[in-house]
Amino acid sequence: MMLLLSILLLSPITTTAGHGDERALVDFRAKITNDYGVLTSWNSSTSYCSWEGVTCGRRRRVVALDLHYQGLTGTISPAIEYGEGLAVSTYGDVYSLSITLIEMFTGRSPTDDMFRDGLNLHYFAMAAHPDKVMEIADSRIWLRDEGNNRNATRDIARTKERLAAIIQLGVLCSKQSPKERLLISDAAVEMHNIRNTFLSAH
């Protein structure tokens, strides 16, 4: 995704202070496809606390990453959120689920050129929900030859309703603050509800 982040807070890392943080940052950089020279300071010859955009707190723990409007392109690894060495967080899992859902139903990639100046998949989907979901949907999902289909209007209305439910789920699971996201168990229940509603209409 376009990494136009004001402040990306890092959750505490349970490994020895500093070591896990540095590994998480290195993993983060590895996901960047083009840093345009922004991350040249991110090398082993200097302390990671002095790297561009990195802020450390007590005991050299990374507390924030500020790469505001740097135009970096890549995907953020879950490691940057819950830290290498910590058991995989369901907050990270539900975020990954949400991005996959939005990608699948909009046909948009997080690295799409349209995502810049603070716009990302989450805000793209949120802005369209619920009234404009058909405008952002991948047309291959719902467009069909409707010339002789007497039920076309009804079918489109049903498709819009289900798509809105899916996009809403994606938005709820991709909020910036992990604790504001839907629980993974609740997300699973909602996915089953959407599926069952779809199947019952056929």
Side-chain angles (χ1 to χ4, degrees):
M1 64 184 63
M2 293 301 294
L3 304 175
L4 304 177
L5 308 177
S6 301
I7 297 178
L8 174 63
L9 294 179
L10 305 180
S11 298
I13 299 171
T14 58
T15 52
T16 303
H19 294 284
D21 295 20
E22 183 173 11
R23 284 198 299 270
L25 289 169
V26 169
D27 183 72
F28 170 79
R29 183 179 183 180
K31 303 296 182 182
I32 305 300
T33 54
N34 192 338
D35 69 8
Y36 303 101
V38 173
L39 304 182
T40 53
S41 64
W42 287 39
N43 60 71
S44 59
S45 66
T46 59
S47 167
Y48 60 89
C49 287
S50 66
W51 291 354
E52 176 71 26
V54 176
T55 301
C56 289
R58 293 186 306 165
R59 295 188 301 169
R60 300 178 67 232
R61 301 308 308 272
V62 176
V63 295
L65 177 62
D66 184 350
L67 296 172
H68 188 54
Y69 292 114
Q70 295 295 342
L72 305 180
T73 303
T75 56
I76 297 178
S77 166
I80 200 67
E81 183 168 291
Y82 47 71
E84 196 169 312
L86 184 64
V88 175
S89 167
T90 55
Y91 292 127
D93 293 342
V94 80
Y95 180 82
S96 297
L97 166 68
S98 70
I99 296 303
T100 300
L101 279 176
I102 298 173
E103 279 190 90
M104 287 173 58
F105 287 91
T106 65
R108 297 284 186 179
S109 165
T111 58
D112 194 297
D113 287 340
M114 72 174 291
F115 297 127
R116 60 184 67 208
D117 299 331
L119 180 64
N120 57 30
L121 270 178
H122 169 81
Y123 292 114
F124 175 69
M126 185 172 67
H129 184 272
D131 298 327
K132 298 180 179 180
V133 290
M134 295 297 274
E135 295 178 21
I136 67 168
D138 186 339
S139 60
R140 292 169 295 183
I141 294 174
W142 60 274
L143 281 182
R144 64 190 75 180
D145 181 6
E146 297 164 345
N148 298 315
N149 186 353
R150 291 179 298 176
N151 297 320
T153 301
R154 184 191 63 187
D155 290 345
I156 290 176
R158 286 179 176 174
T159 299
K160 181 179 179 180
E161 182 180 348
R162 293 177 199 121
L163 183 60
I166 292 166
I167 295 300
Q168 180 182 38
L169 179 60
V171 169
L172 290 174
C173 294
S174 59
K175 292 188 176 183
Q176 182 174 348
S177 172
K179 293 187 178 181
E180 290 182 0
R181 297 170 194 161
L182 204 62
L183 295 175
I184 191 70
S185 56
D186 293 337
V189 169
E190 183 59 24
M191 288 181 68
H192 281 94
N193 288 339
I194 295 170
R195 180 201 63 185
N196 292 340
T197 300
F198 176 79
L199 294 177
S200 66
H202 287 73

